[in-house]
Amino acid sequence: MADLLITRGKIGTMDGQRRFIEDGAIAVEGNRIVAIGPTSEVTAAHQAARTIDASGKVVLPGFICTHGHMAATLSHNMPVDFSKFTKFTDMMEMWWWPQVEDQTLADDIYWATKFAAARMLKSGTTTIGDMLEAPSALPGALDHQARACDEAGIRAVLAFEATERTSKRLGQLAMEENRRFVLERNRPEARVTGRFACHTAYTAPPEMLRAARHYADETHAGLFIHVAEFPPFLTVERWGKPDPQVLEEAGFLGPDVLTIHCIHLTDADIDLWAQHDVKVAHTPMSNMLGGIGVAKIPQMLAKGITVGLGHDCFFTLEILEVMRAAYLLHKVAPTPNPANMIFFQALEMATINGAKALNLEREIGSLEVGKKADILITEDKCPTPVNAGTWMWYAVHDLSSADIQTVIVDGRVVVDDRQLTTMDEEEARRKSQEQAWALWKRAGVV
Ligand SMILES: [Zn+2]
């Protein structure tokens, strides 16, 4: 007997054939999909404790955000004078590091994550890859974040961002934090797991990169790192060569590495990425917000590089907005050509390629038997028919976060008729505002 049946929906699977089932059903047992197909066939073979009638609705795999900093949602709208930042490094050195990262404490992490998870779940994001930046909350920082994710019901891959920006000691503490967390959390059926993360090649010295690679090999946990968010002058100043060469020489690059931003990669760097099967987290909206450029995503896709999407938590927490931004941006940049980004490529980045970017494609990213049950049920508010020929267009052009009615993560209904079943959303919003105000005060901004 199954635990949950979804019947009579229009199912867009995102499986290998990008199959669409007109009158489809999904049976879920525990946290996995055990059957998917025509409603008549699935219901003949499966009964369940709960059945959701998805008549007139569209069923899709949960969206995947491959890069964010959930704790940093407390910096949204922080009243800082941006006119004094004339370049990206000013913003980091004068604002981000001293007034956000270094001021973030345990309760900030917990409530910001809880708020972010709620907002993401309700807008269809079922998995987040996150890099925590909060050296003042070490050790134990990841536990506050994991507790919030556990309670909210979101799937998460968490890592603490190791850096020697302020001291060697904090760098070591961060590495230990990741190692402890990965060893505690990475179990086959875990919903919240860990990774190793280094901030950048200019703030993490080669020995740290080598150590992170060693731990990732030892635990099979994978690696996160920001790369080429701005031209590599800092890395060249420090190590005599740009980030890609530093990373290659440290043995860091590989198919288990998710590199974030990748704006200022040369053609040779892109070839190097393809050669090592390095993955990319594309964050078009935060890149635009920081005025730092446009990644050569069409060129990367043409080379077969796996690209997922990230909202970075700096601005919106809704991945549909980021998907649409990426879809439109690359039609005009780096070179104007409407064929640079096709609708299905945008949807792939938000689903199956996001899963590949996190090395989770065997578990999530599409609706298939054996995969984890991370499922969205959306109201069909499209002005034209949603069918086998149009459903991927619909998801990219017409679907709004407000149409997402039911969200299932790991077989559990976490959003039921637009209400979170796992947590008190209003409490998280209220506490998040309180924590933000206290943090801004500590930072001397208000
Ligand atoms: Zn980031």
Side-chain angles (χ1 to χ4, degrees):
M1 174 130 165
D3 296 298
L4 179 66
L5 271 176
I6 300 162
T7 61
R8 299 181 206 290
K10 296 178 178 207
I11 304 176
T13 61
M14 288 310 285
D15 67 6
Q17 290 76 47
R18 307 291 185 254
R19 215 154 44 101
F20 178 83
I21 307 166
E22 182 71 42
D23 175 0
I26 299 173
V28 176
E29 218 172 277
N31 63 355
R32 291 192 187 267
I33 295 170
V34 293
I36 181 166
T39 297
S40 55
E41 283 177 23
V42 174
T43 52
H46 295 273
Q47 290 188 315
R50 179 174 178 192
T51 297
I52 298 174
D53 181 355
S55 302
K57 300 191 169 74
V58 182
V59 181
L60 298 168
F63 297 127
I64 295 165
C65 174
T66 59
H67 184 67
H69 304 275
M70 289 185 277
T73 51
L74 299 191
S75 71
H76 283 195
N77 312 319
M78 198 168 178
V80 173
D81 177 10
F82 278 81
S83 67
K84 66 186 177 190
F85 309 139
T86 56
K87 53 188 188 300
F88 182 72
T89 45
D90 288 348
M91 205 158 68
M92 298 303 282
E93 285 164 11
M94 295 159 74
W95 174 49
W96 190 258
W97 287 334
Q99 295 186 321
V100 180
E101 276 192 30
D102 293 349
Q103 300 299 334
T104 301
L105 304 176
D107 286 348
D108 302 324
I109 296 169
Y110 175 77
W111 286 111
T113 301
K114 206 117 190 233
F115 174 86
R119 187 54 71 86
M120 284 191 281
L121 287 170
K122 288 185 78 177
S123 54
T125 294
T126 50
T127 298
I128 168 98
D130 192 276
M131 281 167 78
L132 181 57
E133 304 168 315
S136 307
L138 285 172
L142 284 173
D143 298 332
H144 309 299
Q145 193 168 44
R147 183 161 62 93
C149 293
D150 286 342
E151 291 170 3
I154 199 164
R155 188 180 302 286
V157 182
L158 307 178
F160 194 94
E161 189 179 281
T163 163
E164 291 190 2
R165 169 174 67 81
T166 50
S167 73
K168 214 171 180 60
R169 189 188 135 267
L170 278 177
Q172 280 166 353
L173 266 182
M175 293 289 278
E176 284 162 24
E177 177 79 1
N178 285 327
R179 190 152 187 274
R180 175 190 64 78
F181 189 79
V182 162
L183 292 174
E184 274 174 28
R185 285 278 184 160
N186 290 21
R187 303 275 178 268
E189 291 304 313
R191 179 167 51 75
V192 177
T193 57
R195 267 200 172 206
F196 291 88
C198 296
H199 173 236
T200 64
Y202 64 91
T203 51
E207 350 27 300
M208 180 183 267
L209 299 174
R210 278 193 288 272
R213 163 48 68 203
H214 170 76
Y215 290 144
D217 287 344
E218 184 186 65
T219 57
H220 308 290
L223 293 155
F224 288 142
I225 189 164
H226 297 109
V227 175
E229 192 168 10
F230 54 90
F233 57 88
L234 285 178
T235 320
V236 172
E237 202 174 276
R238 208 151 295 174
W239 315 117
K241 54 195 78 147
D243 306 41
Q245 281 63 53
V246 171
L247 294 172
E248 191 189 24
E249 284 173 23
F252 192 89
L253 299 177
D256 60 345
V257 179
L258 181 63
T259 53
I260 296 116
H261 306 307
C262 297
I263 298 163
H264 298 276
L265 291 188
T266 64
D267 292 353
D269 297 335
I270 290 173
D271 288 341
L272 184 70
W273 256 228
Q275 185 192 324
H276 286 280
D277 191 19
V278 175
K279 314 296 195 286
V280 171
H282 181 34
T283 59
M285 292 185 83
S286 64
N287 299 347
M288 285 191 259
L289 185 68
I292 49 180
V294 179
K296 298 172 190 162
I297 299 300
Q299 192 179 332
M300 294 182 200
L301 294 176
K303 294 273 180 183
I305 293 170
T306 300
V307 179
L309 295 173
H311 51 49
D312 228 352
C313 297
F314 290 125
F315 195 71
T316 180
L317 295 164
E318 299 187 10
I319 209 72
L320 277 173
E321 285 194 43
V322 179
M323 176 172 72
R324 231 162 251 145
Y327 175 57
L328 296 175
L329 172 64
H330 294 293
K331 289 178 181 292
V332 292
T335 49
N337 178 350
N340 270 347
M341 180 64 69
I342 312 293
F343 64 93
F344 64 83
Q345 292 176 305
L347 184 59
E348 285 168 354
M349 289 197 288
T351 55
I352 187 64
N353 287 358
K356 287 179 187 167
L358 291 168
N359 304 118
L360 290 174
E361 69 272 22
R362 289 190 188 155
E363 301 284 11
I364 56 172
S366 60
L367 302 177
E368 296 181 64
V369 169
K371 282 203 176 182
K372 300 267 174 71
D374 290 5
I375 305 169
L376 311 180
I377 303 176
T378 77
E379 272 194 287
D380 174 5
K381 293 196 175 163
C382 194
T384 52
V386 178
N387 59 32
T390 65
W391 71 275
M392 286 201 267
W393 297 88
Y394 153 79
V396 179
H397 287 179
D398 284 279
L399 177 61
S400 154
S401 295
D403 301 338
I404 295 168
Q405 201 168 34
T406 303
V407 179
I408 296 154
V409 181
D410 217 34
R412 178 185 186 196
V413 178
V414 293
V415 177
D416 201 351
D417 200 14
R418 297 190 173 81
Q419 297 300 313
L420 280 159
T421 64
T422 50
M423 58 173 277
D424 182 341
E425 187 184 4
E426 179 51 25
E427 181 195 29
R429 190 194 59 77
R430 205 180 59 247
K431 294 294 288 183
S432 170
Q433 288 197 353
E434 285 172 19
Q435 296 298 136
W437 193 251
L439 188 153
W440 297 0
K441 274 191 170 166
R442 280 200 301 282
V445 173
V446 291

